[in-house]
């Protein structure tokens, strides 16, 4: 399961240690926007050291490189992958606006994996952060067999479309002024493109780490749309995110009752059954089964 993705700046070793011991499903070591310009190059070495020397247990390990085509992205890959590529599960590609961004990283990785005998095929997670990326999302989702996830980059997306800046962080807080979910269209579009190609979809972080109620609501809205997980920018956000993206006891109980009732109906030669005054059929059964599959 990849419900919570804890994002940590690549140049801050102390935070890597804490992240390794946290309960996040995924740790994402960042080289992009949380790293100041002066640290862009030293952060690569720090990242290699942390990946090689810390005990990451069974965590899924991601790195976020800089934007393809910028001055850092190619060397981020060339300098890191040969030295610890075997331990990296995925690369988050920021600000993907076309398939070319994905092809570029895909081919670079193919060459390095061959040259350095890296057996573990490194996965890709394109991050959608501008309108062109959203326009091209179906092609982006299908651009590489390495793709496993689409990620929503809410702050850059907001700025790139000129949306009103309504909170301090720009990361999903104070959205209640909007009737409904301000990012409903974007997230739903991403869910459709992602799920059509078997990819998971990850929501942007929630910027106010002192507001657990707002975080929970933001995560619940995303989960309701079919989103699978959410970034965390602070360890205090991990448990809430893990909870929201895991089935509750009530949901599990309900799913088990639906599965039992439906199977029972099938053995009696029926295609549908009644449970608590509701009609349940094969589609209800599948929905319940998906809930139970998350427990595996
Ligand atoms: C993340 O990259 C964002 O732009 O919100
Ligand atoms: Mg961004």
């Amino acid at each position: 399961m990849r419900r919570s993705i804890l994002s940590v700046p690549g140049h801050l070793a102390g935070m890597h240690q804490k992240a390794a011991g946290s309960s996040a499903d995924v740790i994402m070591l960042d080289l992009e926007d949380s790293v100041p310009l002066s640290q862009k190059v030293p952060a690569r070495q720090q990242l290699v050291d942390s990946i090689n020397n810390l005990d990451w247990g069974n965590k899924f390990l991601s790195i976020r490189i800089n934007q393809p085509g910028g001055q850092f992205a190619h060397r981020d890959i060339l300098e890191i992958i040969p030295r610890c590529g075997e331990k990296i599960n995925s690369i988050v590609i920021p600000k993907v606006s076309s398939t070319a961004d994905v092809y570029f990283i895909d081919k670079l990785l193919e060459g390095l994996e061959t040259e350095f005998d890296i057996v573990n095929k490194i996965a890709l997670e394109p991050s959608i952060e501008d309108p062109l990326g959203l326009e091209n999302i179906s092609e982006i989702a299908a651009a590489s067999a390495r793709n496993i996830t689409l990620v929503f980059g809410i702050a850059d997306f907001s700025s790139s479309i000129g949306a009103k800046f309504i909170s301090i962080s720009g990361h999903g807080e104070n959205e209640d002024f909007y009737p409904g979910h301000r990012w409903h269209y974007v997230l739903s579009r991403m869910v459709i493109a992602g799920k059509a190609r078997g990819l998971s979809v990850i929501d942007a972080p929630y910027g106010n780490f002192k507001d657990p109620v707002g975080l929970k609501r933001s995560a619940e809205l995303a989960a309701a749309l079919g989103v699978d997980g959410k970034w965390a920018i602070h360890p205090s956000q991990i448990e809430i995110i893990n909870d929201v993206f895991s089935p509750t006891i009530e949901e599990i109980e309900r799913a088990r009752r639906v599965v039992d009732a439906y199977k029972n109906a099938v053995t009696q030669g029926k295609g549908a059954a009644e449970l608590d005054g509701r009609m349940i059929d094969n589609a209800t059964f599948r929905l319940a089964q998906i809930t139970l599959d998350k427990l595996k």
Side-chain angles (χ1 to χ4, degrees):
M1 270 204 284
R2 289 182 293 123
R3 303 161 299 180
S4 53
I5 296 86
L6 179 62
S7 156
V8 278
H11 61 302
L12 300 178
M15 288 175 92
H16 301 176
Q17 179 95 46
K18 278 194 202 129
S22 76
S23 52
D25 295 330
V26 181
I27 305 301
M28 191 201 72
L29 300 168
D30 186 30
L31 293 166
E32 204 219 10
D33 280 352
S34 67
V35 177
L37 218 49
S38 65
Q39 294 299 310
K40 288 283 189 196
V41 172
R44 291 179 188 141
Q45 179 62 48
Q46 181 54 62
L47 210 131
V48 170
D49 290 346
S50 293
I51 290 175
N52 282 332
N53 300 330
L54 291 176
D55 178 5
W56 296 97
N58 57 2
K59 288 205 184 313
F60 191 96
L61 208 51
S62 299
I63 65 168
R64 180 168 72 166
I65 57 168
N66 285 283
Q67 181 177 12
Q71 61 179 311
F72 298 112
H74 54 293
R75 264 186 219 296
D76 288 343
I77 298 218
L78 289 171
E79 291 183 19
I80 291 170
I81 299 307
R83 292 149 78 200
C84 59
E86 201 67 67
K87 295 183 178 160
I88 293 174
N89 297 111
S90 75
I91 294 180
V92 175
I93 318 173
K95 301 182 177 69
V96 170
S97 52
S98 75
T99 51
D101 296 323
V102 179
Y103 297 152
F104 168 60
I105 306 298
D106 181 288
K107 287 293 172 197
L108 206 48
L109 285 177
E110 200 174 310
L112 290 169
E113 284 168 351
T114 308
E115 182 182 357
F116 293 94
D117 273 332
I118 298 168
V119 179
N120 160 44
K121 214 166 165 59
I122 298 168
L124 293 178
E125 307 192 46
S127 180
I128 303 301
E129 314 198 36
D130 70 9
L132 193 55
L134 196 63
E135 283 252 294
N136 291 331
I137 189 143
S138 300
E139 292 74 25
I140 289 170
S144 168
R146 294 176 190 271
N147 281 351
I148 53 166
T149 301
L150 299 173
V151 180
F152 179 36
I154 191 171
D156 278 303
F157 193 89
S158 303
S159 70
S160 70
I161 61 167
K164 243 183 171 358
F165 181 41
I166 42 94
S167 71
I168 292 289
S169 78
H171 286 98
E173 27 152 355
N174 294 351
E175 301 279 359
D176 288 348
F177 76 98
Y178 192 83
H181 185 328
R182 189 154 72 125
W183 304 107
H184 174 276
Y185 170 71
V186 181
L187 279 178
S188 284
R189 182 73 192 86
M190 290 182 61
V191 166
I192 302 307
K195 302 295 165 104
R197 286 156 189 86
L199 311 186
S200 62
V201 176
I202 299 294
D203 193 17
Y206 185 77
N208 184 353
F209 52 83
K210 297 203 165 141
D211 176 15
V213 175
L215 167 66
K216 185 161 184 278
R217 177 159 172 75
S218 165
E220 280 173 347
L221 290 177
L225 296 175
V227 170
D228 304 282
K230 189 169 175 70
W231 279 11
I233 37 109
H234 192 277
S236 66
Q237 298 183 317
I238 297 169
E239 287 310 326
I240 294 173
I241 293 174
N242 283 348
D243 266 7
V244 171
F245 290 97
S246 306
T248 62
I249 304 276
E250 293 78 39
E251 285 165 1
I252 295 165
E253 211 115 287
R254 188 189 312 130
R256 287 204 171 118
R257 292 182 63 227
V258 166
V259 166
D260 288 348
Y262 181 73
K263 281 187 175 164
N264 197 27
V266 169
T267 56
Q268 292 170 29
K270 295 185 202 154
E274 188 205 307
L275 184 64
D276 299 345
R278 272 71 157 201
M279 186 279 290
I280 57 171
D281 63 3
N282 202 9
T284 326
F285 169 71
R286 278 194 296 270
L287 197 51
Q289 199 60 59
I290 280 174
T291 303
L292 298 179
D293 284 349
K294 288 188 179 164
L295 303 175
K296 287 178 186 159

